[in-house]
Amino acid sequence: MHNKNIIITADSTCDLPDYLIKENGIKIIPLSILLGDKSYRDGVDIKPADIYRYVGETGELPKTAAVTPGEYFEVFNEAVQNGYKVVHIGLSSAISSSYQNAVIASAEFDDVYCVDSKSLCTAMGLLVLKACDFRDKGMDAKKIADRVNKLVPKVSTTFVLNSLEYLHKGGRCSGVARFGANVLGIKPSIAVDNSTGTMDVAKKYRGRTDVVYKQYVNDCLQDCNKIDPSRIVIANSGDVSGDTLAFVKGLIEGKNRFEQIITADAGCTISSHCGPKTLAIFYIKK
């Protein structure tokens, strides 16, 4: 039975499906999405489709805003007042100031532990689920945070973009700036560096999108025996065809016996920076 006095909290950018959030009792803290002068809460009152519509109509990219120290303080304070200890897993500190803000808020409490995922999307979600696993094994909050921290360098966070437009305009990835906005027919795979949490171009694919997706997945699963078999994630930011997703799932099932294959939709923060038709395979290495 899980350790009842520990709450696992996470930024909305962990992009875990609702059923997993409910099943594990995870408390999600939304970042803000700014469209023009209006602010929305990621996943609460805005969805990726709303963002793509806005970009299509205005030609402007959304902005994302970190969770403030005050917002974190409220969440942590409520948990602590109710007798809970907190393990918080945050979006990569290299991408957002959310993690730093969580650390500032946590300084007011003895029993709130923050982990910098150095990751994003459901790759970060895998760390959140590991924290839940450790809690369910009866570990105390500090030990959970320590164990999750040790897993941070083992997370494989890569994704392949259909278009460079969003990431280029958003300025979050220096490598994209280096090889120009949209080099003809190139679909880059972006990797997050686990030691720094920054993004860069890992590979360049050419060809039709569906062919590129298959090549990317094969590349991801080259060393299948080195992947933690408990969970693997297929994430997409919308508009990836059901056929492609089914093919990818079949490919993964054929490569290894994973206890859980999670299909996830990227949330608003990730979609704002990557654009539609982004496909990702996330896993933790052994």
Side-chain angles (χ1 to χ4, degrees), residues 265-277:
D265 297 319
C268 293
T269 307
I270 304 307
S271 299
S272 296
H273 295 303
C274 296
K277 291 192 181 178

mmCIF file with all atom_site columns, all heavy atoms in Angstrom, residues 265-277:
data_model
loop_
_atom_site.group_PDB
_atom_site.id
_atom_site.type_symbol
_atom_site.label_atom_id
_atom_site.label_alt_id
_atom_site.label_comp_id
_atom_site.label_asym_id
_atom_site.label_entity_id
_atom_site.label_seq_id
_atom_site.pdbx_PDB_ins_code
_atom_site.Cartn_x
_atom_site.Cartn_y
_atom_site.Cartn_z
_atom_site.occupancy
_atom_site.B_iso_or_equiv
_atom_site.pdbx_formal_charge
_atom_site.auth_seq_id
_atom_site.auth_comp_id
_atom_site.auth_asym_id
_atom_site.auth_atom_id
_atom_site.pdbx_PDB_model_num
ATOM 1  N N   . ASP A 1 265 ? -0.664 12.499 -25.210 1.00 0.00 ? 265 ASP A N   1
ATOM 2  C CA  . ASP A 1 265 ? -0.767 13.693 -26.054 1.00 0.00 ? 265 ASP A CA  1
ATOM 3  C C   . ASP A 1 265 ? 0.054  14.799 -25.404 1.00 0.00 ? 265 ASP A C   1
ATOM 4  O O   . ASP A 1 265 ? -0.096 15.045 -24.210 1.00 0.00 ? 265 ASP A O   1
ATOM 5  C CB  . ASP A 1 265 ? -2.227 14.155 -26.157 1.00 0.00 ? 265 ASP A CB  1
ATOM 6  C CG  . ASP A 1 265 ? -3.098 13.110 -26.835 1.00 0.00 ? 265 ASP A CG  1
ATOM 7  O OD1 . ASP A 1 265 ? -2.617 12.517 -27.817 1.00 0.00 ? 265 ASP A OD1 1
ATOM 8  O OD2 . ASP A 1 265 ? -4.233 12.876 -26.380 1.00 0.00 ? 265 ASP A OD2 1
ATOM 9  N N   . ALA A 1 266 ? 0.888  15.439 -26.200 1.00 0.00 ? 266 ALA A N   1
ATOM 10 C CA  . ALA A 1 266 ? 1.658  16.563 -25.655 1.00 0.00 ? 266 ALA A CA  1
ATOM 11 C C   . ALA A 1 266 ? 0.685  17.660 -25.234 1.00 0.00 ? 266 ALA A C   1
ATOM 12 O O   . ALA A 1 266 ? -0.312 17.911 -25.897 1.00 0.00 ? 266 ALA A O   1
ATOM 13 C CB  . ALA A 1 266 ? 2.617  17.090 -26.704 1.00 0.00 ? 266 ALA A CB  1
ATOM 14 N N   . GLY A 1 267 ? 0.987  18.298 -24.126 1.00 0.00 ? 267 GLY A N   1
ATOM 15 C CA  . GLY A 1 267 ? 0.132  19.379 -23.639 1.00 0.00 ? 267 GLY A CA  1
ATOM 16 C C   . GLY A 1 267 ? 0.458  20.692 -24.331 1.00 0.00 ? 267 GLY A C   1
ATOM 17 O O   . GLY A 1 267 ? 1.244  20.750 -25.280 1.00 0.00 ? 267 GLY A O   1
ATOM 18 N N   . CYS A 1 268 ? -0.135 21.768 -23.811 1.00 0.00 ? 268 CYS A N   1
ATOM 19 C CA  . CYS A 1 268 ? -0.030 23.071 -24.490 1.00 0.00 ? 268 CYS A CA  1
ATOM 20 C C   . CYS A 1 268 ? 1.376  23.653 -24.467 1.00 0.00 ? 268 CYS A C   1
ATOM 21 O O   . CYS A 1 268 ? 1.812  24.265 -25.437 1.00 0.00 ? 268 CYS A O   1
ATOM 22 C CB  . CYS A 1 268 ? -0.976 24.056 -23.827 1.00 0.00 ? 268 CYS A CB  1
ATOM 23 S SG  . CYS A 1 268 ? -2.687 23.602 -24.082 1.00 0.00 ? 268 CYS A SG  1
ATOM 24 N N   . THR A 1 269 ? 2.084  23.488 -23.368 1.00 0.00 ? 269 THR A N   1
ATOM 25 C CA  . THR A 1 269 ? 3.403  24.109 -23.271 1.00 0.00 ? 269 THR A CA  1
ATOM 26 C C   . THR A 1 269 ? 4.338  23.513 -24.315 1.00 0.00 ? 269 THR A C   1
ATOM 27 O O   . THR A 1 269 ? 5.026  24.227 -25.046 1.00 0.00 ? 269 THR A O   1
ATOM 28 C CB  . THR A 1 269 ? 3.991  23.922 -21.856 1.00 0.00 ? 269 THR A CB  1
ATOM 29 O OG1 . THR A 1 269 ? 3.031  24.397 -20.910 1.00 0.00 ? 269 THR A OG1 1
ATOM 30 C CG2 . THR A 1 269 ? 5.263  24.698 -21.681 1.00 0.00 ? 269 THR A CG2 1
ATOM 31 N N   . ILE A 1 270 ? 4.346  22.198 -24.399 1.00 0.00 ? 270 ILE A N   1
ATOM 32 C CA  . ILE A 1 270 ? 5.212  21.515 -25.356 1.00 0.00 ? 270 ILE A CA  1
ATOM 33 C C   . ILE A 1 270 ? 4.756  21.824 -26.784 1.00 0.00 ? 270 ILE A C   1
ATOM 34 O O   . ILE A 1 270 ? 5.573  22.127 -27.659 1.00 0.00 ? 270 ILE A O   1
ATOM 35 C CB  . ILE A 1 270 ? 5.186  19.984 -25.108 1.00 0.00 ? 270 ILE A CB  1
ATOM 36 C CG1 . ILE A 1 270 ? 5.587  19.669 -23.655 1.00 0.00 ? 270 ILE A CG1 1
ATOM 37 C CG2 . ILE A 1 270 ? 6.078  19.249 -26.096 1.00 0.00 ? 270 ILE A CG2 1
ATOM 38 C CD1 . ILE A 1 270 ? 6.877  20.255 -23.171 1.00 0.00 ? 270 ILE A CD1 1
ATOM 39 N N   . SER A 1 271 ? 3.447  21.761 -27.014 1.00 0.00 ? 271 SER A N   1
ATOM 40 C CA  . SER A 1 271 ? 2.913  22.020 -28.357 1.00 0.00 ? 271 SER A CA  1
ATOM 41 C C   . SER A 1 271 ? 3.234  23.442 -28.815 1.00 0.00 ? 271 SER A C   1
ATOM 42 O O   . SER A 1 271 ? 3.482  23.685 -30.003 1.00 0.00 ? 271 SER A O   1
ATOM 43 C CB  . SER A 1 271 ? 1.399  21.791 -28.370 1.00 0.00 ? 271 SER A CB  1
ATOM 44 O OG  . SER A 1 271 ? 1.117  20.444 -28.029 1.00 0.00 ? 271 SER A OG  1
ATOM 45 N N   . SER A 1 272 ? 3.252  24.372 -27.871 1.00 0.00 ? 272 SER A N   1
ATOM 46 C CA  . SER A 1 272 ? 3.572  25.771 -28.197 1.00 0.00 ? 272 SER A CA  1
ATOM 47 C C   . SER A 1 272 ? 4.975  25.901 -28.760 1.00 0.00 ? 272 SER A C   1
ATOM 48 O O   . SER A 1 272 ? 5.261  26.784 -29.564 1.00 0.00 ? 272 SER A O   1
ATOM 49 C CB  . SER A 1 272 ? 3.489  26.654 -26.951 1.00 0.00 ? 272 SER A CB  1
ATOM 50 O OG  . SER A 1 272 ? 2.185  26.696 -26.465 1.00 0.00 ? 272 SER A OG  1
ATOM 51 N N   . HIS A 1 273 ? 5.883  25.034 -28.307 1.00 0.00 ? 273 HIS A N   1
ATOM 52 C CA  . HIS A 1 273 ? 7.272  25.144 -28.735 1.00 0.00 ? 273 HIS A CA  1
ATOM 53 C C   . HIS A 1 273 ? 7.626  24.228 -29.902 1.00 0.00 ? 273 HIS A C   1
ATOM 54 O O   . HIS A 1 273 ? 8.600  24.473 -30.604 1.00 0.00 ? 273 HIS A O   1
ATOM 55 C CB  . HIS A 1 273 ? 8.205  24.884 -27.556 1.00 0.00 ? 273 HIS A CB  1
ATOM 56 C CG  . HIS A 1 273 ? 8.083  25.912 -26.479 1.00 0.00 ? 273 HIS A CG  1
ATOM 57 N ND1 . HIS A 1 273 ? 8.279  27.259 -26.727 1.00 0.00 ? 273 HIS A ND1 1
ATOM 58 C CD2 . HIS A 1 273 ? 7.734  25.829 -25.177 1.00 0.00 ? 273 HIS A CD2 1
ATOM 59 C CE1 . HIS A 1 273 ? 8.075  27.942 -25.607 1.00 0.00 ? 273 HIS A CE1 1
ATOM 60 N NE2 . HIS A 1 273 ? 7.736  27.087 -24.662 1.00 0.00 ? 273 HIS A NE2 1
ATOM 61 N N   . CYS A 1 274 ? 6.829  23.167 -30.089 1.00 0.00 ? 274 CYS A N   1
ATOM 62 C CA  . CYS A 1 274 ? 7.185  22.180 -31.122 1.00 0.00 ? 274 CYS A CA  1
ATOM 63 C C   . CYS A 1 274 ? 6.263  22.188 -32.327 1.00 0.00 ? 274 CYS A C   1
ATOM 64 O O   . CYS A 1 274 ? 6.667  21.753 -33.407 1.00 0.00 ? 274 CYS A O   1
ATOM 65 C CB  . CYS A 1 274 ? 7.179  20.780 -30.526 1.00 0.00 ? 274 CYS A CB  1
ATOM 66 S SG  . CYS A 1 274 ? 8.421  20.580 -29.251 1.00 0.00 ? 274 CYS A SG  1
ATOM 67 N N   . GLY A 1 275 ? 5.036  22.627 -32.150 1.00 0.00 ? 275 GLY A N   1
ATOM 68 C CA  . GLY A 1 275 ? 4.080  22.613 -33.254 1.00 0.00 ? 275 GLY A CA  1
ATOM 69 C C   . GLY A 1 275 ? 3.465  21.243 -33.452 1.00 0.00 ? 275 GLY A C   1
ATOM 70 O O   . GLY A 1 275 ? 3.855  20.263 -32.808 1.00 0.00 ? 275 GLY A O   1
ATOM 71 N N   . PRO A 1 276 ? 2.458  21.158 -34.367 1.00 0.00 ? 276 PRO A N   1
ATOM 72 C CA  . PRO A 1 276 ? 1.760  19.895 -34.586 1.00 0.00 ? 276 PRO A CA  1
ATOM 73 C C   . PRO A 1 276 ? 2.644  18.843 -35.264 1.00 0.00 ? 276 PRO A C   1
ATOM 74 O O   . PRO A 1 276 ? 3.698  19.150 -35.793 1.00 0.00 ? 276 PRO A O   1
ATOM 75 C CB  . PRO A 1 276 ? 0.584  20.282 -35.484 1.00 0.00 ? 276 PRO A CB  1
ATOM 76 C CG  . PRO A 1 276 ? 0.978  21.571 -36.125 1.00 0.00 ? 276 PRO A CG  1
ATOM 77 C CD  . PRO A 1 276 ? 1.935  22.258 -35.199 1.00 0.00 ? 276 PRO A CD  1
ATOM 78 N N   . LYS A 1 277 ? 2.158  17.607 -35.205 1.00 0.00 ? 277 LYS A N   1
ATOM 79 C CA  . LYS A 1 277 ? 2.823  16.457 -35.861 1.00 0.00 ? 277 LYS A CA  1
ATOM 80 C C   . LYS A 1 277 ? 4.223  16.190 -35.329 1.00 0.00 ? 277 LYS A C   1
ATOM 81 O O   . LYS A 1 277 ? 5.078  15.684 -36.055 1.00 0.00 ? 277 LYS A O   1
ATOM 82 C CB  . LYS A 1 277 ? 2.869  16.657 -37.381 1.00 0.00 ? 277 LYS A CB  1
ATOM 83 C CG  . LYS A 1 277 ? 1.502  16.579 -38.043 1.00 0.00 ? 277 LYS A CG  1
ATOM 84 C CD  . LYS A 1 277 ? 1.634  16.491 -39.549 1.00 0.00 ? 277 LYS A CD  1
ATOM 85 C CE  . LYS A 1 277 ? 0.261  16.438 -40.194 1.00 0.00 ? 277 LYS A CE  1
ATOM 86 N NZ  . LYS A 1 277 ? 0.316  16.409 -41.644 1.00 0.00 ? 277 LYS A NZ  1
#
